[in-house]
Amino acid sequence: MNEEQRKSWILSRKRQQAIDVPGLAEDVALGNRLSLGKAITLIESTKPEDRTMAVQLLELLQHRRKEALRIGITGVPGVGKSTFIESFGMYLVALGKRVAVLAVDPSSTKNKGSILGDKTRMNVLAQQEAVFIRPSPSGGTLGGLARSTNESILLCEAAGYDIILVETVGVGQSETMVKQSVDFFLLLMLSGAGDELQGIKRGIMELADLLVITKADGDNERAANIAAASYKNAMHLFPPNDNDWIPTTLVCSALENKGMEAIWQKIESFKNSTTLNGWLAKNRIEQQLFWLERTVQTDLLERFMAFENFSEMQQNAERRIIEGGESAFLVAQKLVNDWMNTYFSTHGKD
């Protein structure tokens, strides 16, 4: 062990000693919001020592979870996702529900941190004792879903939250990733949106369990109702869902707190229907299998790139493309083969 490795090991040990993982797990299970925030921070960390503690934390809490209703909320920029979540969240709190909001924000390209910070955009909701709001940077993740969001959902369930709202960055074909972490998918739309949005509507609408036209207030109320009727007709043209649920369209005004009861009734109806026909439980299993594959892929890639000689190997590969004009595909194959040969010659094949 060289001096740099020794210092890294000492820092790792000090950090692990500073975090009492069993104590943190107990506090999360008791519903302590501050501890839940610390636990999610640990889950989001990419440091190897933190990932080790994160695994321990999840193992301690896996049998202390109560399954919550997971609702994904997405929509075009400017549709008012945060305003809707605040109004809808307050409605749920009034029903006696404990609500967790995992708001996946766009990441800063410089420090990978969260740009918007949803607590500032949901000020009233954030003050509720029964509510936990966590903005998380997407880190450029495909689909606007943070790498750790799925684990964060499990932590919120361990903390006893009844409903978990996952707000995503935006919409597009890649938004299918969100569908792999939630039970119900809610799409927010604007009335009178221009043709420039048509290209992203079809794919995302096929995923929606409920489409809601927002900002149905004042002079815009009539336009919202017309748009809702048009979308409702369009959704009948889509292939039937495998859960026997027929998506529909509603309108709401988050500013005037109108339409929240009707939306919740639809969500409850969906939950009851898919629980009875067995789809909800089956979907949860399929989601876990999906995340098994994704997590293995991600962890293998991280270990590959963290290998001590990887930086030098990558630079050599880049030079072959820049100076030699070689194909990226062929260079990538050689890079992987070189890495495997180097790794096994260093660590053996056992």
Side-chain angles (χ1 to χ4, degrees):
M1 181 183 293
N2 59 37
E3 183 63 20
E4 184 176 344
Q5 291 174 325
R6 189 182 70 83
K7 289 181 179 179
S8 177
W9 182 84
I10 292 174
L11 288 173
S12 174
R13 291 293 299 169
K14 285 183 177 179
R15 178 161 175 77
Q16 291 184 34
Q17 292 169 3
I19 298 179
D20 176 12
V21 178
L24 181 60
E26 188 64 30
D27 288 341
V28 169
L30 292 173
N32 184 293
R33 290 189 295 180
L34 181 60
S35 296
L36 177 57
K38 291 180 178 179
I40 292 178
T41 297
L42 185 63
I43 288 291
E44 290 176 342
S45 175
T46 57
K47 295 179 180 178
E49 61 270 24
D50 288 349
R51 294 302 294 172
T52 300
M53 289 187 286
V55 170
Q56 182 186 359
L57 179 66
L58 289 170
E59 287 177 340
L60 290 170
L61 290 171
Q62 65 176 334
H63 297 303
R64 304 189 68 172
R65 295 168 40 234
K66 72 166 189 177
E67 288 193 347
L69 180 60
R70 307 167 181 178
I71 303 172
I73 299 176
T74 192
V76 296
V79 76
K81 291 189 291 291
S82 296
T83 306
F84 170 82
I85 290 174
E86 180 160 63
S87 178
F88 188 55
M90 291 298 293
Y91 173 81
L92 295 174
V93 169
L95 294 179
K97 306 292 185 182
R98 296 187 69 216
V99 181
V101 180
L102 299 176
V104 184
D105 273 349
S107 294
S108 165
T109 56
K110 291 185 177 180
N111 60 24
K112 305 303 181 184
S114 180
I115 293 177
L116 301 177
D118 285 79
K119 285 190 177 181
T120 63
R121 295 182 285 138
M122 304 178 195
N123 185 50
V124 176
L125 187 62
Q127 296 178 35
Q128 304 303 308
E129 187 67 28
V131 174
F132 173 80
I133 299 178
R134 174 71 180 208
S136 298
S138 65
T141 307
L142 183 66
L145 192 69
R147 174 180 181 266
S148 57
T149 300
N150 199 55
E151 291 105 324
S152 298
I153 288 174
L154 301 180
L155 291 178
C156 289
E157 289 184 334
Y161 286 93
D162 305 303
I163 298 170
I164 301 173
L165 306 178
V166 181
E167 179 196 1
T168 66
V169 173
V171 298
Q173 290 291 346
S174 59
E175 208 73 355
T176 54
M177 189 71 69
V178 179
K179 189 77 170 178
Q180 298 297 335
S181 288
V182 299
D183 305 312
F184 188 89
F185 197 62
L186 177 60
L187 173 62
L188 304 180
M189 298 289 285
L190 291 166
S191 61
D195 291 338
E196 68 276 4
L197 297 178
Q198 294 296 330
I200 64 174
K201 286 179 184 175
R202 174 64 189 262
I204 200 70
M205 283 175 62
E206 289 179 334
L207 299 177
D209 297 303
L210 176 63
L211 192 152
V212 176
I213 308 299
T214 61
K215 304 183 180 181
D217 43 53
D219 295 337
N220 198 48
E221 185 172 1
R222 181 173 178 274
N225 286 314
I226 293 174
S230 298
Y231 280 121
K232 185 175 182 179
N233 291 332
M235 292 177 79
H236 283 297
L237 302 176
F238 296 158
N241 293 329
D242 60 357
N243 56 16
D244 296 329
W245 173 257
I246 301 176
T248 188
T249 307
L250 296 173
V251 299
C252 81
S253 169
L255 288 178
E256 298 179 356
N257 297 315
K258 294 192 307 185
M260 302 303 154
E261 182 178 1
I263 293 170
W264 176 240
Q265 287 176 350
K266 283 293 181 183
I267 295 174
E268 280 196 309
S269 179
F270 172 90
K271 180 184 178 182
N272 294 336
S273 173
T274 55
T275 298
L276 286 174
N277 65 22
W279 179 87
L280 193 60
K282 177 185 174 184
N283 186 56
R284 287 283 183 97
I285 293 174
E286 290 178 351
Q287 288 177 342
Q288 288 303 304
L289 294 175
F290 171 86
W291 285 108
L292 168 65
E293 181 179 350
R294 290 285 302 189
T295 302
V296 169
Q297 291 174 351
T298 302
D299 285 352
L300 286 176
L301 179 61
E302 287 183 352
R303 295 187 187 194
F304 174 68
M305 298 184 71
F307 186 60
E308 56 186 346
N309 293 330
F310 176 77
S311 179
E312 180 182 349
M313 294 168 67
Q314 184 180 34
Q315 290 175 8
N316 290 335
E318 290 173 353
R319 276 196 294 270
R320 292 178 61 187
I321 294 175
I322 297 171
E323 299 173 6
E326 295 188 43
S327 162
F329 175 80
L330 296 176
V331 172
Q333 297 300 307
K334 187 176 187 308
L335 175 59
V336 172
N337 290 334
D338 288 347
W339 176 86
M340 291 179 65
N341 292 333
T342 304
Y343 179 86
F344 287 125
S345 65
T346 304
H347 296 80
K349 296 186 178 181
D350 296 331

